[in-house]
Amino acid sequence: MYLDRGCLTVSFARTETADWMHAGGLPMRADEIRFLFAYDRWATRRVLSVLEGLDPAVWARTDVVGERGLGGILVHQLGSSQRWRILFEAPATDDRVKLELEPLPTIEELRERWEAEWAAVDPWLQTLTDDFVANVHEGVPVWQLLVHVVNHGTQHRAEAAALLTAEGRPPGELDLFDYAEEQADGGS
């Protein structure tokens, strides 16, 4: 199979059987996980950047996507990210963060909570090793659990981006490829 993207042509060889495919795929490296978490932050900041001046009724609306509206979606994204980080940092307790059960924060409060979460996750991400992300937890490689955290954020950013675009506040491109190009061009 060949993938042709303009001047980039990549050939993929097919193998009849590959043991690594049956074992959950080749493990990712810690640096690749850090790259995905940096992308997650970049894309989330793009969504948060267009919230200023949003009609409070739009922010607080419910039952737009499932039972959530824009504010609820973004609070859930943050709460889920926090719960996963806490799960990886310490033994599970029944006192896990459940932001979704608290009153809806203001947009500024949500931004501050995201900044606090990123400040908490950065030191933890630096402790990741290739051996750690290759571990298996309850049959699932740790690297796949960490990719799930980013993928879950992608789902909710897409929901938020659609709602914001409908309100005339598109956050712009949120694709991983756009982040990678920006990084390659020296962006931060």
Side-chain angles (χ1 to χ4, degrees):
M1 174 182 1
Y2 291 92
L3 172 65
D4 190 354
R5 279 195 94 177
C7 64
L8 173 67
T9 302
V10 180
S11 173
F12 296 95
R14 231 184 132 159
T15 58
E16 293 303 315
T17 59
D19 291 339
W20 61 266
M21 290 177 73
H22 301 292
L26 291 174
M28 292 186 81
R29 296 184 333 249
D31 283 344
E32 294 165 329
I33 297 296
R34 284 187 279 274
F35 172 83
L36 290 175
F37 271 73
Y39 155 70
D40 187 66
R41 179 182 308 195
W42 171 86
T44 299
R45 279 192 169 140
R46 290 187 68 120
V47 169
L48 296 175
S49 74
V50 298
L51 295 175
E52 193 65 41
L54 184 73
D55 181 344
V58 172
W59 175 249
R61 200 175 289 151
T62 59
D63 300 319
V64 180
V65 178
E67 73 276 0
R68 297 183 185 112
L70 180 58
I73 289 167
L74 294 174
V75 167
H76 171 71
Q77 180 193 355
L78 172 58
S80 178
S81 293
Q82 287 176 325
R83 286 188 295 278
W84 276 104
R85 176 185 50 80
I86 290 166
L87 180 68
F88 278 110
E89 285 182 328
T93 67
D94 290 336
D95 299 333
R96 292 196 206 154
V97 176
K98 190 71 172 170
L99 295 179
E100 298 89 334
L101 299 179
E102 297 177 11
L104 184 67
T106 66
I107 291 168
E108 187 54 36
E109 288 169 341
L110 182 69
R111 279 193 188 115
E112 290 169 3
R113 288 180 181 189
W114 265 115
E115 291 299 330
E117 175 58 16
W118 291 323
V121 81
D122 283 346
W124 176 77
L125 282 172
Q126 294 311 308
T127 69
L128 292 183
T129 64
D130 292 346
D131 287 340
F132 175 78
V133 300
N135 282 324
V136 175
H137 176 72
E138 295 183 6
V140 180
V142 168
W143 70 265
Q144 290 179 358
L145 297 172
L146 294 167
V147 169
H148 164 74
V149 175
V150 175
N151 194 50
H152 186 250
T154 299
Q155 173 191 343
H156 294 303
R157 273 191 306 277
E159 293 167 348
L163 296 174
L164 286 162
T165 299
E167 293 294 325
R169 297 169 169 273
E173 296 298 329
L174 301 174
D175 289 338
L176 178 99
F177 186 74
D178 294 298
Y179 171 72
E181 278 191 324
E182 186 177 294
Q183 294 305 298
D185 292 339
S188 54

